[in-house]
Amino acid sequence: QAQASLSSYREAALSRQKIQTVFALSYAETALLVLVGAVWLGMTAANSISGPMARLVQAAGRVAKGDLTARVDAERDPEEIAVLSHAFNNMTRDLAAQQEALTQASDEAKQRSQFIETVLAEVSAGVLAVDGEGRISAANRQATRLLDLPGDRGHGRALTEVAPEFAVIAENARLAGQAEEEVDVARARDSHRLRVRASRSEDGLVLTFDDITRLVSAQRNAAWRDVARRIAHEIKNPLTPIQLSAERLQRKFRKGVPPEDLETFDRCTDTIVRQVGDIGRMVDEFSSFARMPAPKFAEHDAAELLRAGVFAQRVASPDIQVELAEPTAPVNLVADGRMIAQALTNVLKNASEAVAARVAASPEPGG
């Protein structure tokens, strides 16, 4: 029994070592399976988080490059990641809408700016924009023409340098907010009358000016037309009595004039009648606003025209000798005799005044 017990004990000892080895192997296997399972679960959990985050990072990179159409698919993402993805999608959608609105507003601003530039370039009024330092920042085509601006349209140059005539108006506009005045501007060989309006803006002044040269001329012409009518009326009234009186003197006293003075008497009376008639016709034309009379061509004796002009000048200035060299052969002209006579009278009158002025300045004996 002892021997049998010893054998059993020895067998049990051997079995114990085997059991311990099997248990150790089983424990190691179980631990390895648990570790593998834990790693698998960890990787699965990490993939469920890192995958959506990677897609979110990629979408953010596309947005950073300007692609606002990037979206993240959040249907299979965890709830927390899905909330972040939805927020990202909403953000990119809002950014896209804002960018579209900004682009549209920019396009509208460009179109409006182009429209304003086109209008300013084509309007008949000159426009100048002046900054806070008194320098020209913009000018349209009409302003360039009226002020004779250089090729850069005076950009960056002082207003007092380009248009010193506007300096007072600009200063008044800075003080009062706006000002208006008419100024005369002379550039090269042209002179213009401008009506200038200056208004204060946020960063300087805006000056607009119109060329009213023709308007002023038309107003002046209208005023002179009225004056011409009144003067013509007042001049024409005594002409008829003068003409009738000269004709009556010629009829009544011609018979009593000595023969040696008869030619002079006839010429004097004829000159009065003719000149009164010419004045009457000139007054009629002048009543239509100093319009030059239409020439009436006819055949005239040039010598007779000369004699009439010289005789009138001799009567007007008896102290100045007028010599006449008449043509030997008859000379006939086809012209307006009244206009030619008027021109000769003006020439002789100017010569007489010149001689009288020279004599008054330095008298010469015997001449």
Side-chain angles (χ1 to χ4, degrees):
Q1 291 179 352
Q3 188 68 27
S5 297
L6 181 60
S7 296
S8 299
Y9 176 76
R10 290 177 179 175
E11 291 177 359
L14 293 174
S15 300
R16 177 185 177 186
Q17 187 177 2
K18 292 180 181 180
I19 292 172
Q20 287 179 347
T21 301
V22 172
F23 179 77
L25 291 175
S26 300
Y27 178 78
E29 182 180 2
T30 303
L32 183 60
L33 291 174
V34 171
L35 179 61
V36 171
V39 171
W40 181 78
L41 291 175
M43 292 181 64
T44 302
N47 289 331
S48 64
I49 296 175
S50 62
M53 292 301 296
R55 293 194 300 272
L56 190 61
V57 170
Q58 292 177 356
R62 292 172 58 188
V63 172
K65 293 180 181 179
D67 183 11
L68 297 180
T69 60
R71 299 290 185 271
V72 178
D73 187 7
E75 294 181 358
R76 299 179 181 180
D77 294 344
E79 183 178 358
E80 295 79 2
I81 304 299
V83 172
L84 181 61
S85 299
H86 287 305
F88 178 83
N89 293 336
N90 293 333
M91 180 192 70
T92 54
R93 192 177 294 108
D94 294 340
L95 288 176
Q98 292 176 4
Q99 185 185 42
E100 184 179 359
L102 289 175
T103 303
Q104 185 177 0
S106 177
D107 294 339
E108 292 178 356
K110 289 180 180 179
Q111 294 177 358
R112 188 178 295 109
S113 176
Q114 293 176 355
F115 174 75
I116 294 175
E117 291 179 359
T118 303
V119 171
L120 290 179
E122 299 300 331
V123 294
S124 59
V127 180
L128 282 180
V130 182
D131 58 17
E133 298 179 357
R135 299 185 178 277
I136 296 176
S137 58
N140 68 341
R141 186 182 308 168
Q142 184 71 354
T144 304
R145 185 185 69 83
L146 292 176
L147 300 179
D148 195 17
L149 298 179
D152 58 352
R153 296 189 176 182
H155 185 76
R157 301 177 63 179
L159 178 65
T160 54
E161 177 185 356
V162 174
E165 300 87 354
F166 295 172
V168 177
I169 303 174
E171 186 63 25
N172 294 336
R174 287 191 181 95
L175 297 176
Q178 59 182 2
E180 182 174 354
E181 191 175 341
E182 294 183 4
V183 298
D184 292 320
V185 175
R187 294 292 184 274
R189 298 182 180 180
D190 297 331
S191 179
H192 301 279
R193 182 77 171 180
L194 304 180
R195 177 179 286 122
V196 185
R197 292 175 293 274
S199 302
R200 187 168 55 194
S201 60
E202 295 180 357
D203 54 350
L205 295 173
V206 175
L207 291 89
T208 59
F209 44 93
D210 298 308
D211 187 1
I212 60 172
T213 306
R214 294 184 178 180
L215 177 61
V216 173
S217 178
Q219 293 176 348
R220 188 182 295 114
N221 291 341
W224 276 109
R225 185 178 294 111
D226 184 65
V227 172
R229 290 196 187 99
R230 296 176 183 273
I231 293 177
H233 179 72
E234 297 298 329
I235 292 177
K236 195 172 182 180
N237 286 337
L239 291 181
T240 302
I242 293 174
Q243 184 176 4
L244 295 177
S245 299
E247 293 174 351
R248 184 177 179 184
L249 287 174
Q250 187 177 22
R251 289 193 304 269
K252 186 174 183 179
F253 297 102
R254 189 175 186 279
K255 297 179 180 179
V257 176
E260 62 273 10
D261 296 332
L262 184 61
E263 182 180 359
T264 302
F265 178 80
D266 290 338
R267 283 188 174 276
C268 290
T269 53
D270 291 340
T271 299
I272 294 174
V273 174
R274 185 176 65 255
Q275 293 296 334
V276 168
D278 293 342
I279 293 174
R281 286 189 292 273
M282 291 178 63
V283 168
D284 291 337
E285 298 293 341
F286 189 70
S287 63
S288 300
F289 185 48
R291 188 177 57 209
M292 290 301 296
K296 297 180 180 179
F297 293 95
E299 188 173 349
H300 297 277
D301 185 3
E304 183 60 28
L305 293 176
L306 289 173
R307 294 190 198 99
V310 170
F311 178 79
Q313 186 59 41
R314 287 173 177 172
V315 174
S317 302
D319 54 339
I320 297 179
Q321 182 180 356
V322 182
E323 297 180 356
L324 173 62
E326 298 186 13
T328 56
V331 178
N332 295 327
L333 298 177
V334 178
D336 188 316
R338 182 172 60 85
M339 288 187 174
I340 296 297
Q342 183 180 356
L344 290 173
T345 301
N346 290 335
V347 171
L348 293 172
K349 181 174 179 295
N350 292 338
S352 174
E353 292 176 352
V355 171
R358 180 174 180 179
V359 172
S362 58
E364 297 179 3

